[in-house]
Amino acid sequence: VPRTAPSDRRDLLPGTLDMLVLKILSATAMHGYGIAQELQRQTNDTLRVEEGSLYPALQRMRQKGWIKAEWKQTPNNQRARYYTLTPAGRRHLGTEVTRFADLVAAIGGVLGLA
Amino acid sequence: MRALWNRIRDRLRRDALDAELVEELRFHQQLLERDAGDASPVRARQRLGNVTAVREETRDHWTLGALDRLLQDVHYALRGVRKSPGFAIAVIVTLALGVGANAAMFGIIDRLMFRPFAYLANPAGTGRVYLRFHDHGQVITKGESIEYTRYLDLKRHTTRFARMAAFSSQSLAVGLGQDAAEVPVAAVSGSFFGFFRAQPTLGRFFGTTEDALPHGTPVAVLGYDFWQSHFGGRNVLDSTLQVGDVLATIIGVAPRGFVGVSETAAPAVYLPITALASSLSFGVGSYYSTYYWGWVSVMAERKAGVNDAAAAADLSQAYRASWVAEAVQNSDLPGPDIAQPAALMGNLKAGAGPELAPKDRGALWVSGVALIVLLIACANVTNLFVVRALRRRRETAVRLALGVTRGRLLAQQITESLVLSGLAGLAGMGVAQLGSAAIRGFFGYDAGSLMLLGDTRALAVTGSIVLAIGVVMGVVPALFAETGDLALALRTGVRGGTHRRSRLSGALLVAQAALAMLLLVGAGLFVRSMSAVRSMRLGYDTDSVVVAAVNQRGAKISDSNSVALSHRLVEAAATLPGVSHAAWVASVPFYSSSWASIYVDGVDSVGKLGHFTYQAATSDYFATTGTRILHGRALMVQDQGTAPRVTVVGAGMAKLLWPGRDAIGQCLRIRTAQAPCTTVVGVAEDAVQQSLTATNDFQYYVPISQFGTNHGFALVLRTRTAPAGQLEAIRKALQRLMPGQYYVTTRTLASIVNDERAPWQFGATMFSVFGALALLVAAIGLYAVIAYGVAQRMHELGVRVALGAQRRDIVGLVMRQGVAFAVSGVVLGGVLAAVAARWVTPLLFHESARDPVIFGTVTVVLLAVAAVACALPAQRASRADPNSALRTD
């Protein structure tokens, strides 16, 4: 079954998935599916993210100590793994956002968008 | 850092993590399907992507990369060991024997030649002085048995050395009464401790002031271990210790691990060499001004900037000056232009010096042999691996087709061979420990000093050997057996396709057979030498003769009392129940010999014809030792004191001094040219005195009472039955007659002679053991390769049978191939052995290094073994079934 206009969607810039996930988790603890939903919602479906690829990223960030994982009950009484931002993760998110903003500003300057 | 730690923790609970991930993904999937509602579930699945890939990728986060792959390879290797234990055992046993033999020999060679002495301040600039001169057409080099006077001359006449010291190791009784025990004692110059950068554990070392001529100061420094074991490590300074005849004051204790320059057991006590020299009574009045008594070794440290040649030149001119000084005292000495005295500074360890003792040379040879065994073992194991790699060719091809990289396969193979060689290394250390326990006695090491497991140098070398073997074993088969054409390998059926003979495999077989031939020829030569040494008539009986030596200690008794004591000893000995004859002697074969100048009218300079030693003995000497009288008579009771002076000479000496004439009645002048005649009354068979191989050593016999007062130091006794059980009874009976602190030690003459035969015995044993080992390993190798070839050719052989080949044709086909390897090996090995003969000759005894009997016998044995090794596979080949051959594909 063909998806609607797949070519309209954009690939994620490399290295930005971590930052987006951390940003989403900075609001509240969430499970993998929730993160995927939130990502879609906040980007208005512009980004092409294979939702499965969230999971290796989540494991990597957990090992780096940016997020914590816990099994909890969902409101529907299902078992799900919830991810929470750690203080280290919050710090990392801060530096990443700054760096990204600098990058965007620099690129924008070159392109005459500023 | 934290990430790595988390990774390791995750690795340990990866199964749980895996289960959690699966659950998480399932949950995600469920929600996707729920939210998709009626829309196709396929679409929902697409949004999640490739779940397997996700799992793989996530899992990578809780693995440890290379380490995990390594563990996996090790696991795989161990599974291989379990799956084909025969192969693993063959590899491990073969390598363990090779590695073990080398580890054991390294332990010995390292001590003999390489390991520097502990605490030595300047190992590169310190060496041993070796003297070299021409004697009867032979060049003699010696690094020991140097006269103390010579040492003084060398020191006085040289200028290029910072320090020089004389040293000598002696076995002396320490302590008194019941506690007395013989321990190794190092007598050293006062300059000795200056060679080392060592601080005494207690007190101080002695110096040149305590080592002054002529008597020195009786002070002692204890070895650390001796201090611990005998004094419990307490403060012993200023207490006295009886060391031989020296009553010494203890002034210090050497630090732990200090052995001076001792190559075997660590000295228990260090004495000033002058203090010891003046106490030893060898009838040498002035040990520091005459050249009769050679008993010390000399070590020296070059001044900075002095090279080997300059050091040698300096030492040589000093030695020449010393030679001239000696010639003044001894008119028999050939002049310096004939003797060409020269000296050099060589390795401090005599085992690595210019002149090797037979045991050192033996150690080198056995090490070479051990290395050959290792080579054979490696060749064999490589062959096993190659054969297996060929057998696995199809499996390898399949794995390559499935996407395993060649690098990964190679890593796996190397891991496997490393696991096997590692296991072999462990087993080899066990073999080495047993082996060195068996041979250490030959080299004079005590039990503790050859613990290989605690020896980091031996462990490092063994580890490197094992590692190198492991890598080579892994790489070589991969290089030669790797499937070149994947598709071809996959297409060929279960049979493995066309018969493929590996050229490497054949070369390895030939090499193994050649090396086995080499070792077996060596074994044969040594065994023949051994039996020649054993069966040689020494000129006396060894089986029923006991030597009882009287050791003087403490207050000496007067000369007249000594003579009376010797009479009492002979009488007492002769009346012992098991003893038939006894005699009092001045010399014992291989133990001590006596020498005096002799003169014969009409012969110019007798001393230049050979080396003449005398035996002074009481009348029963010939009856006691069994030395046969060929003409004339033996010594008799009447030949005493003031009776006419008589002598019995050896047959060789008679022929040399009075060629073509009857020796009986001839006149021998002993000590001076003007001495009265000593008349020859008998000719005895030649007797070996100092060396089993010497050709110009001669012996004559004189009555001890005519020769001088207070001569002799031992009894020889002839027992009626085997003497071994009577030693203690004889010792006790004689000990009762000892005055003061004198004591008696007894040995059988056979044991003294056996010590001399030891190098040949050792060579024969080691070559035989290693030769047999080599033969066995080579046979296994041949069997494995031929059997593999047959297994691979079963189809072809079946077709041959179907086409009318007879059983014996098939057997012949297989046998010919195997025996061809063996024949090539024998020819190659035979050539090698013939070339090596040059170097083996000096080690043999009355045996040609190219003895055709040995070469022939070994050839027959090797070919027979090869035939047996091929017979089994040939038998199997002859049962090749034409039906099954034609039915398959």
Side-chain angles (χ1 to χ4, degrees):
Chain A
V1 182
R3 221 184 301 171
T4 44
S7 56
D8 289 352
R9 308 174 94 194
R10 298 274 177 272
D11 276 327
L12 206 51
L13 282 174
T16 46
L17 180 63
D18 286 8
M19 187 173 63
L20 294 182
V21 170
L22 288 175
K23 178 68 190 170
I24 289 166
L25 288 178
S26 69
T28 175
M30 227 173 260
H31 50 59
Y33 182 74
I35 297 171
Q37 294 292 100
E38 199 59 18
L39 206 55
Q40 254 181 29
R41 192 183 64 75
Q42 291 193 13
T43 59
N44 296 324
D45 240 352
T46 359
L47 287 183
R48 180 160 58 197
V49 177
E50 218 167 52
E51 292 176 16
S53 65
L54 271 178
Y55 291 93
L58 285 168
Q59 287 301 330
R60 190 176 59 243
M61 289 191 279
R62 183 182 59 77
Q63 281 183 333
K64 289 191 170 159
W66 297 337
I67 56 175
K68 271 190 325 197
E70 269 177 301
W71 288 93
K72 281 186 185 160
Q73 295 298 115
T74 64
N76 296 336
N77 249 348
Q78 275 178 298
R79 223 169 81 90
R81 182 143 61 175
Y82 280 81
Y83 295 91
T84 328
L85 203 63
T86 64
R90 198 170 293 280
R91 275 197 303 278
H92 181 72
L93 177 61
T95 43
E96 284 298 289
V97 168
T98 314
R99 275 179 53 193
F100 191 74
D102 290 350
L103 183 70
V104 169
I107 295 172
V110 173
L111 299 179
L113 299 177
Chain B
M1 200 50 231
R2 186 202 173 105
L4 181 65
W5 172 240
N6 281 333
R7 221 181 157 91
I8 293 171
R9 267 186 21 194
D10 288 349
R11 166 67 179 82
L12 295 177
R13 54 188 183 110
R14 66 174 167 179
D15 289 346
L17 284 172
D18 217 26
E20 286 182 344
L21 180 68
V22 170
E23 188 181 345
E24 202 173 14
L25 287 168
R26 199 186 304 126
F27 173 74
H28 195 123
Q29 183 87 37
Q30 279 170 9
L31 291 190
L32 275 174
E33 283 170 15
R34 187 198 65 191
D35 291 357
D38 297 331
S40 154
V42 176
R43 188 164 172 229
R45 223 172 290 141
Q46 271 176 346
R47 287 190 49 167
L48 193 54
N50 182 346
V51 177
T52 315
V54 168
R55 278 179 60 187
E56 284 297 325
E57 198 188 337
T58 317
R59 258 199 217 122
D60 277 351
H61 286 294
W62 44 72
T63 62
L64 297 172
L67 187 62
D68 259 330
R69 278 199 296 281
L70 181 67
L71 285 173
Q72 199 188 338
D73 288 352
V74 170
H75 185 75
Y76 181 79
L78 290 175
R79 203 177 56 194
V81 170
R82 275 201 306 275
K83 233 173 68 185
S84 49
F87 173 79
I89 288 171
V91 170
I92 292 172
V93 169
T94 309
L95 281 184
L97 292 172
V99 169
N102 281 277
M105 285 320 296
F106 174 79
I108 286 173
I109 290 287
D110 186 36
R111 278 170 181 77
L112 223 48
M113 305 187 173
F114 303 121
R115 188 177 304 199
F117 292 109
Y119 296 105
L120 196 61
N122 177 8
T126 306
R128 181 189 279 256
V129 175
Y130 293 86
L131 302 181
R132 185 170 279 168
F133 58 94
H134 292 250
D135 180 43
H136 298 104
Q138 270 181 304
V139 178
I140 306 219
T141 305
K142 59 179 189 179
E144 53 181 24
S145 306
I146 295 170
E147 305 80 5
Y148 188 78
T149 315
R150 184 91 60 208
Y151 155 70
L152 292 178
D153 289 346
L154 292 175
K155 205 165 106 170
R156 187 179 315 132
H157 295 300
T158 52
T159 54
R160 303 291 187 90
F161 296 92
R163 47 175 71 85
M164 204 179 267
F167 60 95
S168 172
S169 69
Q170 308 276 333
S171 193
L172 294 175
V174 161
L176 292 171
Q178 291 293 321
D179 300 333
E182 287 204 338
V183 298
V185 172
V188 299
S189 298
S191 53
F192 180 79
F193 293 102
F195 282 88
F196 299 91
R197 203 174 283 132
Q199 289 303 316
T201 297
L202 210 60
R204 61 185 181 87
F205 294 133
F206 52 78
T208 44
T209 46
E210 282 102 343
D211 184 40
L213 288 173
H215 299 300
T217 315
V219 291
V221 170
L222 303 185
Y224 187 91
D225 290 343
F226 180 72
W227 174 55
Q228 288 292 333
S229 61
H230 273 64
F231 298 98
R234 62 171 193 273
N235 187 354
V236 285
L237 295 184
D238 298 327
S239 54
T240 57
L241 182 68
Q242 183 76 43
V243 185
D245 281 336
V246 180
L247 184 63
T249 306
I250 299 171
I251 59 162
V253 175
R256 180 189 288 233
F258 183 87
V259 297
V261 291
S262 167
E263 293 178 32
T264 52
V269 181
Y270 300 84
L271 292 179
I273 197 163
T274 47
L276 182 75
S278 56
S279 80
L280 291 172
S281 57
F282 285 111
V284 183
S286 45
Y287 66 90
Y288 49 86
S289 61
T290 63
Y291 299 88
Y292 293 118
W293 181 27
W295 62 293
V296 307
S297 301
V298 179
M299 62 192 285
E301 186 181 334
R302 290 185 295 234
K303 283 180 182 163
V306 176
N307 62 19
D308 280 343
D314 195 25
L315 284 169
S316 290
Q317 58 82 21
Y319 183 28
R320 197 179 167 93
S322 175
W323 190 279
V324 171
E326 183 185 358
V328 172
Q329 293 181 15
N330 177 5
S331 56
D332 260 3
L333 199 69
D337 294 326
I338 297 164
Q340 300 173 31
L344 63 134
M345 198 167 113
N347 199 304
L348 193 50
K349 298 204 168 195
E355 183 66 15
L356 296 184
K359 72 164 192 180
D360 302 332
R361 215 173 295 144
L364 272 187
W365 273 92
V366 173
S367 302
V369 167
L371 216 55
I372 292 180
V373 170
L374 183 62
L375 280 182
I376 295 179
C378 285
N380 193 31
V381 170
T382 309
N383 229 340
L384 291 177
F385 271 104
V386 167
V387 164
R388 198 180 59 153
L390 286 172
R391 194 164 51 215
R392 279 188 181 175
R393 215 165 61 236
R394 200 149 176 283
E395 180 196 327
T396 309
V398 169
R399 295 183 64 189
L400 285 172
L402 288 177
V404 180
T405 62
R406 281 176 196 266
R408 190 82 185 78
L409 267 186
L410 185 62
Q412 210 167 55
Q413 267 168 26
I414 292 178
T415 309
E416 184 175 10
S417 60
L418 277 176
V419 165
L420 286 176
S421 71
L423 290 173
L426 286 181
M429 284 315 277
V431 171
Q433 196 59 62
L434 291 177
S436 51
I439 51 180
R440 73 181 146 76
F442 178 76
F443 294 100
Y445 294 115
D446 45 37
S449 70
L450 269 184
M451 269 313 290
L452 290 171
L453 295 180
D455 178 347
T456 46
R457 286 167 69 100
L459 286 179
V461 166
T462 312
S464 321
I465 293 177
V466 165
L467 198 68
I469 291 176
V471 171
V472 171
M473 301 291 113
V475 171
V476 169
L479 287 182
F480 283 83
E482 198 67 81
T483 20
D485 185 348
L486 241 178
L488 181 73
L490 281 174
R491 249 202 325 271
T492 54
V494 186
R495 278 191 278 116
T498 48
H499 172 56
R500 230 210 209 188
R501 219 183 290 172
S502 162
R503 213 172 292 150
L504 172 73
S505 175
L508 287 172
L509 282 183
V510 172
Q512 281 184 61
L515 293 174
M517 171 88 182
L518 193 63
L519 291 193
L520 287 173
V521 166
L525 294 175
F526 269 93
V527 168
R528 292 262 295 208
S529 291
M530 181 66 224
S531 72
V533 167
R534 283 206 173 282
S535 60
M536 180 175 78
R537 169 80 187 162
L538 296 171
Y540 38 81
D541 302 330
T542 54
D543 293 341
S544 49
V545 178
V546 172
V547 175
V550 172
N551 303 276
Q552 301 184 357
R553 196 169 55 154
K556 302 283 181 292
I557 57 175
S558 70
D559 284 1
S560 56
N561 282 344
S562 289
V563 173
L565 174 66
S566 68
H567 290 170
R568 281 203 302 279
L569 285 170
V570 172
E571 267 167 49
T575 53
L576 283 173
V579 175
S580 63
H581 299 279
W584 181 246
V585 296
S587 312
V588 171
F590 306 114
Y591 201 84
S592 80
S593 66
S594 313
W595 173 86
S597 309
I598 54 171
Y599 301 87
V600 173
D601 299 342
V603 178
D604 187 34
S605 208
V606 173
K608 283 173 189 157
L609 293 175
H611 188 61
F612 298 89
T613 54
Y614 68 82
Q615 169 66 290
T618 52
S619 55
D620 252 2
Y621 178 77
F622 290 98
T624 306
T625 59
T627 302
R628 295 169 198 150
I629 299 295
L630 304 178
H631 309 293
R633 65 171 177 90
L635 301 178
M636 296 198 299
V637 187
Q638 294 90 318
D639 302 325
Q640 336 210 359
T642 53
R645 291 168 171 275
V646 295
T647 181
V648 172
V649 299
M653 177 170 167
K655 214 168 125 188
L656 190 70
L657 294 182
W658 301 285
R661 279 177 289 164
D662 189 1
I664 308 280
Q666 300 287 355
C667 165
L668 200 65
R669 299 181 197 276
I670 301 174
R671 291 200 180 112
T672 68
Q674 290 75 40
C677 269
T678 300
T679 311
V680 176
V681 293
V683 175
E685 64 178 321
D686 281 322
V688 175
Q689 287 304 314
Q690 292 279 55
S691 152
L692 287 168
T693 51
T695 50
N696 61 349
D697 280 7
F698 303 99
Q699 176 93 345
Y700 58 102
Y701 306 84
V702 290
I704 198 163
S705 61
Q706 289 188 342
F707 208 69
T709 52
N710 189 20
H711 234 69
F713 77 102
L715 275 178
V716 286
L717 302 91
R718 189 179 191 85
T719 55
R720 292 179 212 279
T721 54
Q726 303 175 48
L727 286 178
E728 189 52 20
I730 292 171
R731 193 191 68 79
K732 277 193 178 137
L734 299 178
Q735 181 65 46
R736 276 185 223 116
L737 301 175
M738 287 296 112
Q741 291 182 36
Y742 281 34
Y743 61 96
V744 173
T745 48
T746 50
R747 273 188 89 176
T748 60
L749 188 53
S751 77
I752 295 175
V753 171
N754 276 340
D755 281 356
E756 291 303 308
R757 291 169 173 163
W760 286 281
Q761 173 79 59
F762 182 69
T765 311
M766 297 308 276
F767 263 93
S768 299
V769 168
F770 284 142
L773 216 63
L775 184 64
L776 183 71
V777 168
I780 292 172
L782 185 62
Y783 168 80
V785 171
I786 298 294
Y788 165 71
V790 165
Q792 235 195 0
R793 289 173 77 182
M794 273 322 240
H795 178 79
E796 176 210 324
L797 295 172
V799 172
R800 281 172 187 263
V801 173
L803 292 177
Q806 296 297 304
R807 272 173 73 96
R808 60 164 197 284
D809 298 333
I810 301 289
V811 169
L813 190 72
V814 174
M815 296 288 284
R816 260 198 305 283
Q817 190 202 352
V819 172
F821 287 131
V823 169
S824 318
V826 164
V827 170
L828 184 62
V831 171
L832 285 178
V835 170
R838 256 182 68 198
W839 296 286
V840 188
T841 303
L843 299 168
L844 300 179
F845 191 83
H846 298 175
E847 169 72 14
S848 159
R850 295 193 176 123
D851 185 348
V853 175
I854 297 293
F855 276 69
T857 312
V858 171
T859 302
V860 170
V861 168
L862 253 171
L863 293 183
V865 168
V868 171
C870 297
L872 227 63
Q875 201 59 38
R876 198 172 317 134
S878 71
R879 284 196 299 270
D881 181 6
N883 282 325
S884 76
L886 295 177
R887 238 177 259 135
T888 48
D889 25 65

